[in-house]
Amino acid sequence: MDFLTLIQVLDSTVRLATPLLLACLAGLFSERAGIFDIGLEGKMLMAAFFSAAVAATTGNVWLGLLAGIASSLVLSGLHGLASITFRGNQLISGVAINFLAAGMTVLIAQDWFQQGGRTPSLFSGGRFEPINLPFADALANVPVLGPIYSELLSGHSVLVYLAFLAVPATAWVLFGTRFGLRLRAVGENPAAVDTAGVSVVGLRYAAVMICGLLCGIAGAYLATALQAGFVKDMTAGRGFIALAALIFAKWRPWHALGACLLFGLLQAVALRFQNIEIGTFVIPVQMMDALPYILTVVILAGFVGKAVPPKAGGEPYVKER
């Protein structure tokens, strides 16, 4: 593999890791507050559809982004209502959101556009365009550093840079602010937080809404930046891969970045190299495509027992009277 090919693989890694990273950070906020959310997939899918549908209708990608975020927030509100207000089973609520999104997106898309459950292709104005960083073209011919800057760091959409900036922002919010301290405390010992006079319900709803915001951006990125429109089930299990990355990272933001880049690298390798020959043995393309999902199973089997989730995770809080 030459240097330019390596840069291209890493560039694809960054693009493919972005929705995983946003969804992983979304789950991080929710689960740190004690609300398990396996509905990341459904929220991303719903956001992908509405962002693409509104962008295709209006020709404005920013309105599409807002629509995607709004749809994801609605599903987050439903999850919060079921699991926080009515103290329902959080896992069942998440599964219901996934089924709801999978069915509704195709049904509404077919009713609106009559294109077999997909939206029209997005063109300029309806998609997020790549951003060229300053001096990217001028430095392109500089050995080593030029291609890294012009090909790897430059040329991504604004949502990619936003996703990577969200990592230090999340770390600061969770570990450097009073809000983050209370949020983490709600996930560990909600009774102590309640005794201190802080609303457990309010903090958990805030965490769920932040989760919805990030899932909305992730879904919008899929439909309006990574691809040019919505197709059925386009999230392709990314929400579950993000959950695996979250467990692998042990609910820590910087570790989540590394885990998502690892999954993104596997996807990039699968797309770049269809059949890999190792001596006389050829790894088929189907095996390469399955690598991210195989790693998901391996991580869940190997780390789920070693990674300790928040102690109050998955348990509804009942205030003592």
Side-chain angles (χ1 to χ4, degrees):
M1 182 188 299
D2 59 14
F3 181 69
L4 184 57
T5 302
L6 176 62
I7 292 295
Q8 291 172 346
V9 170
L10 293 178
D11 178 69
S12 297
T13 298
V14 170
R15 299 176 192 273
L16 293 169
T18 296
L20 299 178
L21 180 58
L22 287 166
C24 190
L25 294 177
L28 178 64
F29 274 101
S30 182
E31 297 196 9
R32 276 286 189 172
I35 303 297
F36 289 162
D37 192 353
I38 62 173
L40 301 177
E41 178 89 358
K43 288 193 277 264
M44 289 171 64
L45 189 62
M46 190 70 82
F49 166 69
F50 276 101
S51 62
V54 172
T57 303
T58 65
N60 189 319
V61 69
W62 292 102
L63 290 178
L65 174 63
L66 291 177
I69 292 173
S71 64
S72 180
L73 287 174
V74 169
L75 292 184
S76 286
L78 288 175
H79 183 56
L81 188 67
S83 58
I84 301 173
T85 302
F86 296 121
R87 306 189 188 100
N89 187 294
Q90 298 171 11
L91 299 181
I92 293 176
S93 174
V95 170
I97 286 174
N98 289 336
F99 282 128
L100 179 67
M104 281 190 63
T105 50
V106 176
L107 180 67
I108 299 174
Q110 177 61 23
D111 182 64
W112 284 4
F113 303 107
Q114 290 84 42
Q115 294 189 12
R118 59 188 297 159
T119 63
S121 296
L122 301 178
F123 300 100
S124 180
R127 293 190 66 195
F128 283 103
E129 300 294 338
I131 296 176
N132 288 322
L133 297 180
F135 309 111
D137 294 333
L139 297 175
N141 295 324
V142 175
V144 182
L145 294 180
I148 292 176
Y149 182 74
S150 62
E151 297 290 337
L152 181 57
L153 299 181
S154 179
H156 299 288
S157 71
V158 65
L159 297 185
V160 173
Y161 300 111
L162 179 64
F164 281 84
L165 288 175
V167 177
T170 298
W172 175 74
V173 168
L174 286 178
F175 300 102
T177 66
R178 181 179 298 179
F179 170 76
L181 175 63
R182 290 174 173 175
L183 191 73
R184 289 182 289 121
V186 163
E188 298 291 340
N189 192 342
V193 176
D194 194 19
T195 303
V198 179
S199 173
V200 173
V201 171
L203 280 171
R204 286 189 165 179
Y205 264 109
V208 167
M209 288 298 119
I210 294 173
C211 174
L213 171 67
L214 292 173
C215 281
I217 298 174
Y221 171 79
L222 282 175
T224 60
L226 188 63
Q227 299 185 34
F230 173 84
V231 295
K232 178 183 177 182
D233 295 331
M234 70 180 303
T235 46
R238 285 181 173 89
F240 300 109
I241 294 177
L243 283 175
L246 182 59
I247 294 172
F248 187 38
K250 298 182 178 179
W251 295 270
R252 291 174 291 184
W254 289 106
H255 294 73
L257 172 61
C260 291
L261 286 174
L262 173 61
F263 281 108
L265 176 62
L266 289 176
Q267 291 180 335
V269 169
L271 290 174
R272 180 76 185 184
F273 304 102
Q274 297 297 305
N275 292 307
I276 296 181
E277 295 185 8
I278 303 178
T280 58
F281 180 73
V282 178
I283 302 177
V285 61
Q286 292 83 1
M287 181 67 179
M288 298 302 298
D289 290 337
L291 269 181
Y293 306 99
I294 294 173
L295 183 62
T296 300
V297 175
V298 171
I299 285 176
L300 290 177
F303 288 88
V304 73
K306 300 176 183 178
V308 180
K311 293 179 181 178
E315 296 296 328
Y317 177 65
V318 180
K319 186 172 183 177
E320 296 181 1
R321 297 185 182 277

